[in-house]
Amino acid sequence: MKRIVTLMMAVLMIASAAVATVYAGEKVDGRKTAEAYIATDITVDGKIEDSWKYANSYKVDVVKTNFAKDWYKDTMKSGVDYASMNVKVLWDGKATLYVLAEVSDKTPNHVADSTWLRDSIDLFFNWSNANAAGSKKDSQVRIYADGSNASSVVGLKTAVTVNKGSWIMEYAVDATKAGGVGKYVGIDFQYNDNILGKKNREVCLGWSDKEDKASSDATVYGQCLLSAKKVADIKAAQTTAATTKAPAAKPASPATFDAGIILAVAAAAAGAGVVVSKKRK
């Protein structure tokens, strides 16, 4: 009996520990919010699958305060290549969160000594969407323009495709701890831009974080809703709307319009002929 009780207690402890790992993040009012629809066709291969076309796009365009805004976009610095980045998020409805980043950067650089000073993307996650003072990241991944990465995330999946003047990053991470449909993940995106090709980054762009604190303070993050909406349903609704849309009224046929004019002119001419003939009499 004692053994049975001990075994039951052990099972309960394991179950409790398992439950404790699910953070079940709730919404934080006032935070920038992204929405991840459910998609089933995503393969992390650096290619843009059809489902990505239906995901919302978010601009990573906040110039962080540690980097002088009077330098950024200075029109006196002709020829300077300023990068830009847009991100999209989707998930599989079960346990995997996907991120797609599309970067425009004509001069990707890899020369800086410190890894965070090279052209790269940083992703930050807090699975409980924490907002209390002192909250930290749960994980961070840095992906470079040459396709390599530095990450604290186990089971990382990343693919990079480099094009002329741009590059695409596709990423997948285990989102089990977030708690499932309707829950929120604390998340932020960052682009480190080494513009001049030297040993420093000139500009650091963020999505929510304005102060370059994302690596140490999760309260500056935005949040991502793990939505119940399915890409397949959104696509079907758009297709139906397009096919059932009432056709616009057609303008009068030029041929019909011309015929009317001809008849009117002919009638007028006939009338004029009668008048003339009377005068001749």
Side-chain angles (χ1 to χ4, degrees), residues 120-201:
S120 55
I121 297 167
D122 274 307
L123 305 176
F124 303 92
F125 301 94
N126 180 279
W127 300 112
S128 61
N129 200 29
N131 195 41
S135 299
K136 307 292 183 183
K137 64 188 178 188
D138 288 318
S139 59
Q140 174 183 356
V141 58
R142 178 172 297 123
I143 301 157
Y144 305 108
D146 61 2
S148 59
N149 65 74
S151 173
S152 61
V153 182
V154 178
L156 170 73
K157 291 183 180 179
T158 309
V160 170
T161 298
V162 179
N163 302 306
K164 186 176 181 180
S166 65
W167 56 292
I168 296 168
M169 184 280 298
E170 204 171 17
Y171 171 79
V173 63
D174 184 355
T176 305
K177 292 180 179 179
V181 174
K183 299 303 180 181
Y184 289 79
V185 176
I187 194 170
D188 213 356
F189 317 105
Q190 176 176 302
Y191 190 67
N192 306 301
D193 194 9
N194 185 325
I195 296 173
L196 301 180
K198 298 181 180 179
K199 295 186 176 183
N200 203 352
R201 61 179 176 184

Side-chain angles (χ1 to χ4, degrees), residues 68-275:
K69 291 193 176 187
D70 57 353
W71 193 97
Y72 185 67
K73 297 293 185 183
D74 186 341
T75 56
M76 296 298 291
K77 295 179 173 61
S78 60
V80 172
D81 172 43
Y82 295 101
S84 63
M85 184 170 79
N86 293 327
V87 297
K88 296 181 177 183
V89 286
L90 292 170
W91 77 303
D92 66 356
K94 298 176 182 177
T96 305
L97 178 66
Y98 302 104
V99 179
L100 173 70
E102 298 178 86
V103 178
S104 174
D105 193 344
K106 296 178 182 178
T107 56
N109 295 304
H110 319 291
V111 298
D113 293 333
S114 298
T115 58
W116 64 89
L117 302 180
R118 295 162 53 185
D119 278 6
S120 55
I121 297 167
D122 274 307
L123 305 176
F124 303 92
F125 301 94
N126 180 279
W127 300 112
S128 61
N129 200 29
N131 195 41
S135 299
K136 307 292 183 183
K137 64 188 178 188
D138 288 318
S139 59
Q140 174 183 356
V141 58
R142 178 172 297 123
I143 301 157
Y144 305 108
D146 61 2
S148 59
N149 65 74
S151 173
S152 61
V153 182
V154 178
L156 170 73
K157 291 183 180 179
T158 309
V160 170
T161 298
V162 179
N163 302 306
K164 186 176 181 180
S166 65
W167 56 292
I168 296 168
M169 184 280 298
E170 204 171 17
Y171 171 79
V173 63
D174 184 355
T176 305
K177 292 180 179 179
V181 174
K183 299 303 180 181
Y184 289 79
V185 176
I187 194 170
D188 213 356
F189 317 105
Q190 176 176 302
Y191 190 67
N192 306 301
D193 194 9
N194 185 325
I195 296 173
L196 301 180
K198 298 181 180 179
K199 295 186 176 183
N200 203 352
R201 61 179 176 184
E202 280 71 40
V203 175
C204 182
L205 301 175
W207 177 54
S208 178
D209 175 24
K210 301 177 181 179
E211 304 175 35
D212 197 27
K213 293 182 177 180
S215 61
S216 59
D217 183 0
T219 66
V220 300
Y221 296 178
Q223 59 191 353
C224 176
L225 169 62
L226 299 180
S227 179
K229 298 177 184 177
K230 298 179 180 179
V231 167
D233 294 339
I234 295 170
K235 183 177 180 180
Q238 291 184 8
T239 301
T240 301
T243 55
T244 58
K245 185 177 180 181
K250 294 182 179 180
S253 169
T256 303
F257 181 72
D258 291 344
I261 293 176
I262 292 171
L263 290 172
V265 172
V274 171
V275 172

Side-chain angles (χ1 to χ4, degrees), residues 23-24 55 182 269 280:
Y23 295 175
R280 285 178 180 174

